Amino acid sequence: MLCEGDRTFRARDLDKFIAYAAHADIVNGTRTVERLRHHTTQLSTFMYYGNLFVGKLLEAKHLGATTLTDVGTTYKLCHLSTLQRLLPELDCRVNLEFNAYFLDVALSHGCSVVECPITFHPRVGISKRWEHQ
């Protein structure tokens, strides 16, 4: 499991990931279900549609491989054997766009990806990305 420690995600969603794990190499959380997303999260309208747009670009690049609605979430499950296969292929210099990059590399190497609807809550604390802007 990959998950940020800012309390935007909840452990109660782990059961959902486990239910989807039998169907794919990677289970990617999606924060796009309105009823599961708190209305005061940092997922702005711009970020919401940006993630959707990039997801659709990846779908077009890997035509027929998956459906992606949220490429920016860090909440994901990856089977150990899949992770061991992908780690040597990943560029450690990729930072903020890592999640979309990870999915692109995984799909390029024939990994199966399925999305799982997750709950999404307001961040606790200040993001390092935004504190100096």
Side-chain angles (χ1 to χ4, degrees), residues 62-88:
H62 305 283
L63 200 56
T66 192
T67 301
L68 294 171
T69 60
D70 187 0
V71 298
T73 182
T74 57
Y75 207 9
K76 56 180 50 66
L77 177 147
C78 184
H79 290 275
L80 179 59
S81 59
T82 302
L83 187 59
Q84 289 170 331
R85 186 168 45 126
L86 291 177
L87 277 175

Side-chain angles (χ1 to χ4, degrees), residues 40-53:
T40 62
T41 68
Q42 70 273 18
L43 189 64
S44 66
T45 301
F46 177 78
M47 289 174 58
Y48 176 95
Y49 285 107
N51 280 328
L52 182 62
F53 178 72

Side-chain angles (χ1 to χ4, degrees), residues 6-96:
D6 60 8
R7 298 186 62 201
T8 54
F9 304 118
R10 298 295 194 263
R12 73 177 78 111
D13 285 327
L14 289 173
D15 288 342
K16 295 180 204 175
F17 281 95
I18 292 167
Y20 282 87
H23 303 284
D25 299 312
I26 297 167
V27 181
N28 193 61
T30 180
R31 305 165 291 177
T32 60
V33 178
E34 189 68 36
R35 299 276 303 160
L36 299 179
R37 188 177 65 247
H38 193 276
H39 67 279
T40 62
T41 68
Q42 70 273 18
L43 189 64
S44 66
T45 301
F46 177 78
M47 289 174 58
Y48 176 95
Y49 285 107
N51 280 328
L52 182 62
F53 178 72
V54 173
K56 298 309 165 191
L57 288 176
L58 286 176
E59 281 183 36
K61 180 178 179 183
H62 305 283
L63 200 56
T66 192
T67 301
L68 294 171
T69 60
D70 187 0
V71 298
T73 182
T74 57
Y75 207 9
K76 56 180 50 66
L77 177 147
C78 184
H79 290 275
L80 179 59
S81 59
T82 302
L83 187 59
Q84 289 170 331
R85 186 168 45 126
L86 291 177
L87 277 175
E89 307 302 323
L90 297 172
D91 184 343
C92 64
R93 295 171 293 182
V94 175
N95 190 5
L96 294 176

